Amino acid sequence: MSLPTLLLTRPKAQALPVQTAVQAALGFDVRTVFSPVLQIERREVAVDLDRYVGVIVTSVHGLATMNLTGRVAHCVGARTAEAALEIGARQGQVGRDADDLVEQILSIGTPGPLIHLRGEHTRGDIAARLSSAGIETHEAVVYAQSPLPLTAPARDLIEGEGVVVLPLYSPRSARLVGQAVDQVGPNVRVIAFSPSVANAFQVETGRMPNVCATPVGTEMVGAIVAAFHADIA
C-alpha cells in the first residue's frame, strides 16, 4: 500500500514545522504537498504601546510589527507565547483559544487597558468582550490574511481517489479549501483544529472532519500521525 500524502494549506512558515514534527514522530519522510490558501501581509500601524498595561496576541503573525520587549503579552497558544518570549515579551496569560484566554483574563482580574494586536480577520470578539466586562481593551489590525487559490495539484488530491491527510487550522482556511473543490474524495482524512473549523468545512462540503481533542499544535500533529498509522497498519 502506498503511503498517504500530507496536504498542508497553512502559510509555508507555519506548515514546515508541522511537516517536520509529523516526520519525526513517524520516523520516515512523507510526501507533502504545500498549497497555502492564506498569505500574511504585514501592516505598518502606529500604536503607542506605552498607553497599555499589556498586549493580547492571538497568532504569531501579530508579533512581527511591534517591539514587545519587556511588555506583558497575553497569548493564544503555547507557540505564540513561546514566540513572544523569544522577542523579549513577559509572559501573561496563555489560553488554548480565544474563549479560554478571555476567561483567564477575566478570572484573575487582569488590569487594563489592553490592546489586541490582531489580523484583519479574527474570531472571538476579544476586545469587545473584555471591554464590556470592565477591562478596557482596544484593537489594532497589524496584518491581513489575503486568500490564495488552491493549487491544481492540491485540488486534484482532494477530489481524487488517493489517500490524503488534510489538516485544517482555521474556519477561514476551511471555508476557502471547501469552496475551491467540487467534491471531497472518499480517502481524504480531514482533521479540524477545533469544532468551529470542522463546522466551516462541513458547511462548504457536507463532510464533517475529525476534530482535535484540544486546539493545540501537538494534538494536531498527533492526529495527523494517527491518521498515517491507520492507513499503513
Side-chain angles (χ1 to χ4, degrees):
M1 176 183 291
S2 61
L3 290 174
T5 298
L6 176 61
L7 175 55
L8 296 173
T9 61
R10 304 187 88 186
K12 197 72 174 285
Q14 284 71 56
L16 284 171
V18 175
Q19 179 196 33
T20 299
V22 168
Q23 292 185 153
L26 287 171
F28 54 80
D29 291 345
V30 300
R31 181 190 177 219
T32 307
V33 172
F34 298 93
S35 180
V37 294
L38 292 172
Q39 176 175 281
I40 305 302
E41 298 174 346
R42 311 295 178 196
R43 288 189 174 179
E44 296 298 329
V45 181
V47 178
D48 182 7
L49 293 179
D50 290 335
R51 295 177 53 199
Y52 300 99
V53 175
V55 301
I56 296 171
V57 188
T58 46
S59 166
V60 292
H61 305 303
L63 298 170
T65 59
M66 298 289 171
N67 180 3
L68 300 185
T69 302
R71 303 187 185 280
V72 176
H74 306 288
C75 300
V76 168
R79 180 66 196 102
T80 303
E82 290 169 5
L85 294 176
E86 288 169 2
I87 63 172
R90 292 189 289 133
Q91 185 164 310
Q93 303 305 307
V94 181
R96 296 186 306 273
D97 53 24
D99 291 339
D100 185 39
L101 183 62
V102 168
E103 290 174 8
Q104 289 193 41
I105 290 173
L106 292 176
S107 68
I108 68 168
T110 301
L114 305 173
I115 184 166
H116 181 191
L117 304 176
R118 68 174 184 85
E120 186 177 37
H121 297 270
T122 190
R123 297 181 63 257
D125 295 324
I126 290 177
R129 290 164 65 188
L130 290 176
S131 293
S132 66
I135 299 176
E136 180 184 355
T137 306
H138 299 176
E139 296 178 305
V141 177
V142 297
Y143 64 93
Q145 309 105 310
S146 301
L148 292 172
L150 197 67
T151 64
R155 187 171 57 251
D156 290 345
L157 281 170
I158 296 173
E159 295 181 346
E161 299 291 326
V163 181
V164 180
V165 179
L166 172 60
L168 296 170
Y169 284 83
S170 73
R172 188 158 179 244
S173 62
R175 283 192 295 271
L176 290 170
V177 171
Q179 291 166 1
V181 299
D182 293 327
Q183 64 182 13
V184 180
N187 298 311
V188 180
R189 316 318 190 203
V190 188
I191 307 168
F193 197 56
S194 69
S196 60
V197 177
N199 291 336
F201 191 75
Q202 184 185 35
V203 167
E204 299 298 336
T205 65
R207 174 78 71 87
M208 175 55 77
N210 291 329
V211 182
C212 288
T214 54
V216 295
T218 52
E219 286 283 349
M220 177 62 94
V221 169
I224 295 170
V225 170
F228 269 83
H229 282 152
D231 276 297
I232 62 180

